[in-house]
């Protein structure tokens, strides 16, 4: 009993430290955003702002077209998340429930694309977008990412855990494969699809390198690229930058708070 109590205490202490270490960057961001504005090359020392000032949030909102960047990021992240959920469900159903020659080999080759670093495909992707005439256009931020191996893998693993008797019953009633997917598996896979959509939205929302390379018009910038415009060689207004960063983080927190009750932890089938 004593060993179990000590082990439980150490586990809780470790989890508490991990939670505090994860919260500290956000706390640092909020405290710094409430300090008085100052143009410096390095971030000022962290101190408790009293009285707190919200002038940095107003200044950040007007320093850059943050509302337009919000709209661009919401459009791009929403389209990418929806596309990855749809393609993940379709491809996941094919790899999980259909039987055809070479299925497992094709799936392994498909997963092999996860081993290719993003930097390797950066120049070929740019050349492809230029050939399509999509440079400096929002479709270049969405179309190449409508399908992703991670989303397909996670949804495929979840669909493997569903009982095959449901599919057999639907097929005996005359349902096609698309009808089986739509009426049987998608309702059961909504928690997994919600998790995949959330992660896809977060990944697209915080993407920086590809939007920086492919978008040239400031009015089409996304949030991460727009935040970089607040920095300069002469110095950075760190309180205002942290205020803009806090505003950029808000939609993601609201999205998670809105769907957390509808999304539960699921078994991947490992």
């Amino acid at each position: 009993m004593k060993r179990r109590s000590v082990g439980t205490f150490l586990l809780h202490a470790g989890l508490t430290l991990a939670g505090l270490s994860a919260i500290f960057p956000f706390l640092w961001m909020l405290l710094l955003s409430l300090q008085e504005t100052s143009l410096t090359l390095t971030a000022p020392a962290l101190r408790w702002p009293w009285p707190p000032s919200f002038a940095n949030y107003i200044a950040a909102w007007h320093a850059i077209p943050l509302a337009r960047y919000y709209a661009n990021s919401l459009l791009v992240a929403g389209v990418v998340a929806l596309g990855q959920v749809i393609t993940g469900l379709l491809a996941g159903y094919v790899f999980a429930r259909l039987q055809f020659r070479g299925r497992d080999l094709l799936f392994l080759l498909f997963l092999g694309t996860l081993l290719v670093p993003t930097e390797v495909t950066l120049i070929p992707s740019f050349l492809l977008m230029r050939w399509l005439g999509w440079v400096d256009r929002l479709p270049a931020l969405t179309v190449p990412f409508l399908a992703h191996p991670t989303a397909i893998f996670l949804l495929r693993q979840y669909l493997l855990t569903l009982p095959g008797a449901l599919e057999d019953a639907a097929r005996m009633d005359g349902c096609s494969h698309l009808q089986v997917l739509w009426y049987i598996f998608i309702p059961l896979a909504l928690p997994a699809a919600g998790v995949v959509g959330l992660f896809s939205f977060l990944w697209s929302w915080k993407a920086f390198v590809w939007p920086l390379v492919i978008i040239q018009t400031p009015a089409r910038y996304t949030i991460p690229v727009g935040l970089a415009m607040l920095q300069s060689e002469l110095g950075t207004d760190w309180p205002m930058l942290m205020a803009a960063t806090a505003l950029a983080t808000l939609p993601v927190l609201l999205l998670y708070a809105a769907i957390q009750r509808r999304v539960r932890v699921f078994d991947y089938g490992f």
Side-chain angles (χ1 to χ4, degrees):
M1 292 297 294
K2 290 183 178 180
R3 291 182 178 179
R4 183 176 299 178
S5 300
V6 172
T8 303
F9 173 78
L10 293 177
L11 176 61
H12 290 174
L15 293 176
T16 301
L17 291 176
L20 292 176
S21 64
I23 294 175
F24 178 76
F26 296 96
L27 180 62
W28 183 86
M29 175 185 66
L30 292 175
L31 292 179
L32 191 57
S33 68
L34 298 175
Q35 295 183 12
E36 295 181 359
T37 181
S38 60
L39 189 64
T40 58
L41 292 176
T42 59
L46 184 63
R47 58 181 177 82
W48 186 263
W50 188 262
S53 175
F54 294 93
N56 292 318
Y57 289 86
I58 301 176
W61 186 265
H62 295 287
I64 56 177
L66 202 57
R68 178 177 290 274
Y69 297 160
Y70 258 116
N72 294 340
S73 291
L74 286 173
L75 175 62
V76 171
V79 170
V80 169
L82 181 62
Q84 290 191 10
V85 169
I86 293 176
T87 56
L89 287 170
L90 292 173
Y93 176 77
V94 170
F95 285 124
R97 315 304 302 194
L98 301 187
Q99 301 291 334
F100 56 91
R101 181 177 299 178
R103 184 194 66 174
D104 295 336
L105 177 60
L106 180 62
F107 182 67
L108 289 177
L109 293 175
F110 187 71
L111 284 183
T113 59
L114 291 173
L115 302 177
V116 180
T118 306
E119 292 77 11
V120 174
T121 61
L122 190 62
I123 295 178
S125 299
F126 180 84
L127 295 178
L128 178 61
M129 294 300 104
R130 189 176 65 177
W131 180 72
L132 293 173
W134 287 355
V135 174
D136 198 28
R137 296 180 62 185
L138 290 181
L141 300 178
T142 56
V143 175
F145 309 105
L146 293 180
H148 197 275
T150 302
I152 296 174
F153 171 72
L154 294 179
L155 289 172
R156 181 250 188 190
Q157 294 301 105
Y158 185 82
L159 292 175
L160 281 175
T161 64
L162 300 180
L166 297 175
E167 181 180 6
D168 295 337
R171 296 289 293 170
M172 291 180 63
D173 288 339
C175 292
S176 63
H177 287 297
L178 287 178
Q179 289 175 326
V180 171
L181 177 63
W182 179 259
Y183 292 110
I184 304 298
F185 287 111
I186 287 183
L188 296 175
L190 285 181
V195 173
V196 170
L198 178 61
F199 285 134
S200 301
F201 186 93
L202 293 176
W203 175 85
S204 181
W205 182 268
K206 66 183 181 64
F208 176 76
V209 175
W210 178 247
L212 180 65
V213 170
I214 204 67
I215 299 299
Q216 303 169 0
T217 303
R220 296 171 181 169
Y221 284 163
T222 56
I223 284 285
V225 181
L227 293 180
M229 298 300 103
L230 293 175
Q231 295 180 290
S232 66
E233 297 180 356
L234 300 178
T236 302
D237 191 339
W238 290 99
M240 186 174 67
L241 178 59
M242 291 300 102
T245 305
L247 291 175
T249 309
L250 186 60
V252 177
L253 296 178
L254 293 178
L255 176 64
Y256 177 76
I259 70 173
Q260 65 171 338
R261 294 184 178 180
R262 298 180 179 272
V263 176
R264 64 178 183 268
V265 178
F266 59 92
D267 182 13
Y268 293 116
F270 296 137

